[in-house]
Amino acid sequence: MSGKYDLGLEKNDANYTQLSPLTFIERAASVFPRRTSLIHGDTRYTWKETFERSRRLASALVKLGIEKGDTVAVMAPNIPAHYEAHFGVPATGGVLNSLNIRQDPGSIAFILEHGEAKALIADREYSEVIHKALNMLDRDLLVIDIDDPLGKRGEPVGGTTYEEFLNTGDADFTWRGPDDEWDAISLNYTSGTTGNPKGVVYHHRGAYLNALGNIIAWGMTGCPVYLWTLPMFHCNGWCFTWSMAALAGTSVCLRHFDAKKIFSSISEHRVTHLCGAPVVMNMIINSKVEERSAFGHRVNFMAAAAAPPAAVLERIEKMGFGVTHAYGLTETYGPAALCEWHSEWDELPPVERSMMKARQGVRYTVEEGLTIGDQETCKPVPSDAETIGEALFRGNIVMKGYLKNPAATEEAFSGGWFHTGDLGVMHPDGYIEIKDRSKDIIISGGENISTLEVESVLYRHPGVLEAAVVARPDAEWGETPCAFVTLKTGAEETKEKEIIEFCRARLAHFKCPKTVVFTELPKTSTGKIQKYVLREMVRKL
Ligand code: ADP
């Protein structure tokens, strides 16, 4: 800039630093050294200790030869070591690659190979899988075993334990931020519901911004107590790993969980926040009375990863949970949109209120753009709540790109927007509503049918525990909706005809399922229903 506002300092002088979430932990440790950072069973760490352990980890990795741009993989549940890796790995200039713990050896081997991991920190619960995956690799990899007394412990894979490894590092290691905020901080593979896993690369800037974006979106203040029901391997725990350091809040770790564990953690630690896919909400709603513990405070639940049926939102809110509905993808650092709430909507009748909340909403404060546009031209569709288009994002919390995949990166960003592959509509008030993934939409007699709309009706049936709808090829109509339904215990006698009648009373007839299959629903490790498996089942009907 020239003229009177050119004050002589350049962008890279001391008053302009590269954004990185690594700065949050330094602050947490210096401002709140004695505050609890992590709770894991009977173990408690303070922020001073978590910072120290993360520094030791960084130092030990550097001694091992990890340099800027090297990948360090972690295979661990939601435990302190995994949390520490979110700081210790990037502090070396390295890139954290958290692996999905439910993956098979072949996929793990693929990711270690593709991401070129130099070291792997792995919990002994997964020793067998890791062992098999390593046998598929052509090269040796340094493995550090996490030896968690609370977990199942398979045969060690590496020659050193995580705690021994930390002891080789210096607690006063000089913490280094990125040279450039555009440097990679993490590598997250998509779960592959849409084909081959792609390596989504996050930069420090985006991670910093979305960590703060979460805090704004959820109105988090004070010292929140966050329960780790969402896997840390999923988009770095939707960036909440870094949000918690920004707030110097307390994380309650969980290796595994069920409804009982969720309730007991909430009442024991006075949990204020937790995240999850609608399956986690379902787990809470459908818990048995003896699994529940009482709690007298409001618990905030952030729901994303799949569309929460309005009926599910209604029920969980009655149980003392306040729900924030967010929407995003691995490519957008997790949640990048939310159904921003207007207090006057609280006055709406319950069903309408939940329908409002089931909308995916508007962009996060830290995201620049979200629209529903034409898949080819990106031109926004009219805000008429009817015209279907693709959800498109733009801004600083969209990934840096796909690792070693320029063609996919270019395609994803064509037309200057990031293409989500989700189809939806724009409401007159500027809120988006997702109707389907582009490949999930059903076209029957030339009409679009949103499977989410049909599912939301199925969820209102008192006997339905879970439901998913996919297209069934049909000679006359092209496709018709086929519903897969899991019934609640006690409702096993429900018949196909009854379900169809229930839908016909609430939906345009062409949208109603023509077939109903009663079964368990196949899910991904992040709790999403695998529609492609259902489509395969349909072909065999
Ligand atoms: P994958 O694509 O491998 O399943 P992601 O975690 O990136 O893994 O999934 C992102 C997808 O999840 C979105 O494209 C969308 O289809 C779905 N999704 C996430 N949040 C919501 C939501 N609130 N409502 C509807 N769908 C959602």
Side-chain angles (χ1 to χ4, degrees), residues 190-193 234 304-307 325-330 360 422 437 528:
T190 59
S191 59
T193 45
H234 199 209
H325 176 200
Y327 160 69
L329 302 82
T330 304
Q360 283 67 18
D422 292 320
R437 284 197 168 187
K528 284 185 218 219

Side-chain angles (χ1 to χ4, degrees), residues 447-468:
E447 300 273 4
N448 285 340
I449 303 174
S450 154
T451 60
L452 296 182
E453 184 184 352
V454 185
E455 286 157 15
S456 72
V457 170
L458 291 166
Y459 271 96
R460 293 206 173 273
H461 188 285
V464 170
L465 180 69
E466 285 182 321

